[in-house]
Amino acid sequence: AEGVVELVDVLPTLCEVARVDCGPRGPGEPPLEGRSLVPELRDPGRAPPAGDWQGAVSTYSRCQRSTGPGKDWACLKRARGAIEHMGTSVRTRHWRYVAWARWDPTWARPNWARVVAEELYHYEHDGPGPGLCHAPERQSVLGRHPEVAARLREEARRAWGRAACLEAAGDPSAARRCRL
C-alpha cells in the first residue's frame, strides 16, 4: 500500500491483531487514538473508505532564544510559555503543508489567527526536474495551489482540536479546549 500512516496507528493495529480490546477502560476515559491498519495489511490494493482521513500530522516547536548546538531540543527543557512558534505539518500521499503559528500558552496550542509562515510541497508534477536541488521538499508551491493549502490548513486546525478534546475527555474542567 502507498498510504500515509501515523505512529498512533501502531497500537490499534497491534490490538486488533492480538484480538485485545484497547477501548476506553471506563467512563470519562479518552478513546484510543489512531486507526487499525489491518484492512490495508490484508488487502494492500484496497481503496480507503470514503471520508477516512488519509494523512499524518506532526508538530515541531520553536522556543525563544534557541540557538546553537542542541537548539532543536531546547523546548523540551523549557516551560510551555517559552514556546514561541509551533510548526504543524500535514502530510498526505501527494502533499505536505507546514504552518508556523504563534504559540498560545493559555490554550496550549497554536494561535491560528497568527500564522507567521506557510509552506506547501507537492510530491509529484511541480518540480522543474530530477535531482537533489529540485526535490519536491525544496520548492514550496503555495502560490500555485492555494486551494490545497486551505484544505490542509483546516486539517491541521482540526488535528489540534481533536488532541485538545482527547485530553479534555478525562477532565471536565479542560473541556473548553475542545473549541476550535
Side-chain angles (χ1 to χ4, degrees), residues 5 13 48 83 91-92 108-109 121 123 126 138 147 165:
V5 300
T13 303
I83 297 173
R91 173 77 165 89
T92 68
R109 65 178 176 208
Y121 302 97
Y123 288 96
D126 278 338
R138 300 201 184 267
E147 72 291 348
C165 289

Side-chain angles (χ1 to χ4, degrees), residues 6-21:
E6 296 181 89
L7 189 57
V8 296
D9 297 332
V10 173
L11 184 56
T13 303
L14 293 174
C15 289
E16 184 173 341
V17 168
R19 296 188 177 129
V20 173
D21 179 12

Side-chain angles (χ1 to χ4, degrees), residues 37-105:
L37 302 173
V38 168
E40 286 89 348
L41 294 171
R42 287 190 177 134
D43 182 9
R46 89 183 246 294
D52 268 14
W53 165 241
Q54 295 297 309
V57 178
S58 58
T59 59
Y60 193 82
S61 56
R62 288 283 187 207
C63 289
Q64 302 161 352
R65 296 178 296 282
S66 29
T67 60
K71 68 177 173 61
D72 293 338
W73 300 101
C75 290
L76 295 177
K77 300 174 187 170
R78 298 196 183 183
R80 280 186 183 177
I83 297 173
E84 191 172 284
H85 296 95
M86 181 62 70
T88 303
S89 174
V90 177
R91 173 77 165 89
T92 68
R93 185 173 175 201
H94 300 288
W95 300 95
R96 184 170 69 94
Y97 167 80
V98 181
W100 290 95
R102 293 287 299 172
W103 180 250
D104 183 341

